[in-house]
Amino acid sequence: MGRGPVNYDVAVVGGGAAGLAAAVAAAGRGARTALVERYGFLGGMATAGMVSTICGLYRTSVSGLPEPLNEGFAETFAQCLTTTPGCGKPVRRGRTYVLPYTPFAFACLADEFASSAPNLDVYLHAYLVGLDTAAGRIEALRVATWERLLELRARAIVDTSGDAVVAQHAGAATETTPRPERQLPSLVFVLQQVDSEALQGPRVALLRALVRAEQEGLLPKGASNLTLAPSLQPGEVICKLTLSGITEELPASRDFLTVAEQEGRKRALAVTEFLKTLPAFARAFVSHAAPQVGVRESRRLIGRYQLSRQDVLAGRKFEDGVARASWPIELWEEGRLGATYEYLDDGQTYDIPLRCLQARDVENLFVACRCMSASHEALGSTRVIGTCLATGEAVGMAAARHAGGR
């Protein structure tokens, strides 16, 4: 352990999109803030998962220009990202707009925002290893970095870990969807030297060829659950391989994510070898893959209110609403190729109330991102990066107020 505790007003665990927004917001309101991140870079699924498009930034509508849903950090960060080399402007995807970006650009921009925030200390390669509680509060976090052990004391704690790890350590009420019903993770990998022009238009024939190859035993089971799209760079294609079938073959002695990571890389190589038999991919190779599989759902907090599917689809507004959202309920489920979508009415939005971001039974614990208090179906809408930026900023401000900051 270090020479003594380090005192903060706000401590944020998890430096993904929500954690970044929370830490910058709290620090910007006068709270001395710590941001703890397990990787050597910020961004969470946006960088470690290489999602490559930000969903949930804009109002969902069948026509019209992209209309930002939330002012503040989400809009500012997105505007800065569009001017970064390698990134692009919002592009329409059916009834929605998404913002394409490169993961490295996202990580570098996150560094800039964090470095320029007053009162903010960032701890990378840092893991939560324990905490102290008393009288329904979290008193201190024990954090292991590459160099030392630290005790961080804070008046308000923000859990943006994605997996509600702070809530779990604190004994707060949480829930986890049973593994067979949980949203499937995906592995993103990138191909180079693809004839992108040959991929223009519908790719139904290509996807059917993958399904047929799996049925004939030419691909591993589950390897045909693939979506792919050319990036903004010539000859580059971003592939998203949904990892179905992991649960049913999971040995009792193995952790799910360990098997998913190894099986994901195995399937990515197999899919690439098959694609190379097609003219557009004859010279293709995998240049890089995401550092981790993209997790869509794991452990969630039980908060002071749980957002429901009906709240989302009805466009419900709340007196304590702190962020707007309109992304459809997007579910990636076992037994399906691709996702299913339930849309709000055209142009409609719903509110995310602050109560969904506050622990029910730990007085100074706030959450955002995919560990917020929401049903399995509602999470299919709220978990996207654009919404995480907005809810992260909201809890950062709430935590700063709780801690007595401005």
Side-chain angles (χ1 to χ4, degrees), residues 11 15 28 38 62 125 131 155 182-183 244 265 307 358-359 365 400:
R38 62 176 174 154
V62 295
H125 297 291
L131 50 77
R155 290 195 283 270
R182 204 176 302 168
Q183 287 217 56
S244 55
R265 288 188 287 271
L307 195 73
Q358 293 175 290
L365 176 60

Side-chain angles (χ1 to χ4, degrees), residues 33 126 144 153 174 208 228 268 299 323 360 377:
T33 304
R153 292 189 169 271
T174 61
R208 285 176 176 167
L228 69 173
R299 187 185 303 109
R360 184 181 67 186
E377 293 81 6

Side-chain angles (χ1 to χ4, degrees), residues 254-263 265:
R254 303 288 304 282
D255 286 344
F256 176 82
L257 276 184
T258 299
V259 176
E261 297 280 6
Q262 295 175 331
E263 183 65 21
R265 288 188 287 271

Side-chain angles (χ1 to χ4, degrees), residues 5-55:
V6 186
N7 295 312
Y8 290 98
D9 298 309
V10 176
V12 181
V13 177
L20 170 69
V24 170
R29 280 150 184 81
R32 189 181 181 207
T33 304
L35 177 58
V36 176
E37 166 54 40
R38 62 176 174 154
Y39 286 119
F41 49 87
L42 301 172
M45 288 299 101
T47 49
M50 284 175 38
V51 176
S52 301
T53 54
I54 299 180
C55 304

